[in-house]
Structure formats: structure tokens, C-alpha cells
Amino acid sequence: EAQVEEQSAGFPSFEDALRQAQDKANQQRARVGDIQQQIQVLAAEQRGLEEQSRQLNARRDRLTAERHAVEAPDTAHLNNLQTQLAIAEAANEEVQGVLESLQQLVPQRDNERAQAQVIVNAESSKLTELSARGDALRALQEKLQTNDKLQPWLSKHGLEQLQPLWQKLHVQTGWETALESVLRERIAALPVGQLDMLKGFAGDAPPVKLSFIQATPQAIAPTPPIGGLKPLIDMVQISDTGLRAILSDWLQGAFAIDSLAAALADRDKLGAGQCLVAKDGHVITRASVSFYAPDSEQAGLLARAQEIENLDKQIRAQALIADEAKAALTRAGSAYANAQQQLAQTRAQAAEAQSRAHDMKVDVLRLTQAAEQALTRRNQIEGDLTEVDTSLAQLQEQQAMA
């Protein structure tokens, strides 16, 4: 019993030791569980890091491949296109300026042509009017100088080709009537070689008044001026000295004066056989006044002849003016046609230049945008690769620490 009691007394300490041993074992098992759990966690983390590393490397490979696939912009080609575009735009601007100028020039040339046509019409009309007037006066002159009674007589004696005196005279403008007033029918006198040949006409006289003059008469001294009065012969311009001598004979003592009133005032200056002849044909002597009036249809031969001569000069001058106007119209028409042709050609050139500049601009814009997009994408890829490399470095550090 003592041994039993002694052994029973030792049970509590044994139970304590057992309990402590069990507690320690439990603690060790718990620690092992924690370690196993940590190992599992670390293993999971390691697998996660490896997966992340794999994904990052895969992404890096894709980015690297894409970076190689992205074509770098051809800067030299783009610069060349930009230079060509600048040249094309300058050419287009130049041809557009020429086109604008021609678009303004063509209406101007058309207006000049129209004005030239107006001038041609006006000058041609003037020429037509002058020609018609000259033809009418010439026809009237021919009609009046052709005497129905005298012409057969002249033809009979072979005198129809003789040129009457009035056709050889040039009278100062305004004095034609005065000269006709004094000369009367002698204004149409016909020249003959010798006056003696006319004696054969005594038995066959002309049917109307007719004068003949000797072609080579003796020279006659001209009428000297008196008291400031001008001889009427001075109003006649004639180069034939023989005819001038005849006129001097016929006009001997006749003086020219502007008006009847002036003649009446100066008649006291006249001597015997002298007279004053006014422009309108009135004849004044010291003791008489004879008023002039046309006494036949042929009156006014000199005035009409003078007018015909002046009209002929005007017609020649007007013909030159009309010809120059027509030449100017031709030049204006050619200038208008050339301007139209240049406008058509320039329009085609402008359209071509504009199309070329537009096409080149589209090409430059396309290449510029492609270059910008490629550069932007390359920069993005470089950034992404930097980010991937940083992430991989961090993973490596984490793996090393694990």
C-alpha cells in the first residue's frame, strides 16, 4: 500500500508531463501545418509569378514583333513629295493668275472688237455717203454739160473730145459764181489750134451759144490792182500760161470784192471799162449794178466741179480712214480670237495643274498621316516594352526574394 500510495502520489506529475508533451506535440503539429500552409502559399505565389512572367514575356515578344512590323516613315520620300507639292502649288497659283487675267482680257478684247466694228460701220457709212454724193454730183455735172442740141453738132465736126475751159480752172472757194457771172458761156469755151479755122462754121453755126479759144494765144499783161482792189483773175489758179492770158483778157478790168455793199462803197475807185464783181456774182460799175441770176441749167459748173474735186479728196482720205478702221477691226478680231484660244488652253492647263496639285496634296497628307501614325505607334510600343521590362525586373526581384 505504501508503494501504491507512493506511486499514486507520483501520478499528478506524470499527467502534467504528459499533458505538456501533448501540448508541445500539438504546437509542433500546428507549426508544421503553418509551415506547410506557408509553403503552399509560397508555391502558389511562385506559380503566379511564373505565370505573370510568362505573360509578360509573351507580351514583350508580341510588342517586339509589332515594333519590327511597324514600318519606319520614309522621310526622304516624304520631303521630296513635299517639295514637289510646293512646286505644283506654285505652278497652279501662277496658271490660276494667268487664267484670271485672261478671263478679264477676253471680254475686253471682245469689247474692243465691237467698238472697232462700230468705227468700221461709221467710217464705211461716211465713205458710202461721200461716194454717193460725189457720184450724184458727177452724174449731174455730166448731164448738165451734155447739151442735147450742141452734142450732135460737136460730133458732126469732130469736136466732141475737146475739154471745156472750166475743167482746167481751179477757183478759190466762194468765187466760182463771181467768175461764172463774168465769163457766162465762155466758161465752157473749147480750145482750138487756130481761131481762123472757125470761119468754116459761118454757114453751120452752133445751135447754142459756144465760145472757142486759141490754144496758144499771145500773152496779155495782167490787170494792175487799184486802190487796194484785187483783180478777179487772182482768184483763179491755173498753170497754163496761155489759158491764163486768155482769162486775163476776158477779166481785164474786173476786180473781186466780198459783197455788194463793199462794192457800192468802192465803185468810185473804178475807171472806164472797170467793174467790181461780188462773190454772189453781182457786177458793179461806177454807174450801174447788174444783179446775177443763173440763166441756164449749166450754171454752177465751177462750184460743182470744185465740190466734186473736194469730194474726191475727201473720198480718198475717207477710204484710207475706212481701210485703217477695217485693219484695226481685223487686228481686234485676231486679238480676240487669240485671247479666246489662250483662255481655252489656259483653262485646260489650270485644270491639269489644279488636279496635279490636289493629287500630290492627297499623297503628302496620306504619307504624313501614315508617318505620324507609325511614329505614334512605335512610341506606344516603346513605352509598353519599357513597362513590360520594368514589370519583369520587379518579378525577378520578387522571385529572388521568394
Side-chain angles (χ1 to χ4, degrees), residues 73-84 363-364 366-367:
D74 189 347
T75 306
H77 180 56
L78 179 57
N79 291 337
N80 183 44
L81 279 180
Q82 288 174 338
T83 301
Q84 293 181 12
D363 290 341
V364 168
R366 178 178 54 80
L367 289 177

Side-chain angles (χ1 to χ4, degrees), residues 80-153:
N80 183 44
L81 279 180
Q82 288 174 338
T83 301
Q84 293 181 12
L85 173 60
I87 295 174
E89 287 180 338
N92 180 49
E93 183 177 354
E94 180 179 358
V95 75
Q96 292 296 335
V98 174
L99 177 61
E100 182 178 355
S101 298
L102 286 173
Q103 286 174 337
Q104 296 175 355
L105 180 62
V106 168
Q108 179 182 344
R109 290 287 182 264
D110 189 24
N111 184 53
E112 291 173 355
R113 183 187 61 166
Q115 291 178 351
Q117 184 64 62
V118 171
I119 294 174
V120 166
N121 294 341
E123 299 302 339
S124 298
S125 178
K126 289 180 183 178
L127 179 60
T128 300
E129 291 176 2
L130 288 173
S131 299
R133 185 178 175 187
D135 292 342
L137 279 176
R138 197 172 287 104
L140 177 62
Q141 192 81 320
E142 291 176 359
K143 178 181 178 181
L144 293 179
Q145 72 183 9
T146 302
N147 191 295
D148 293 338
K149 295 180 179 180
L150 180 61
Q151 198 62 34
W153 185 89

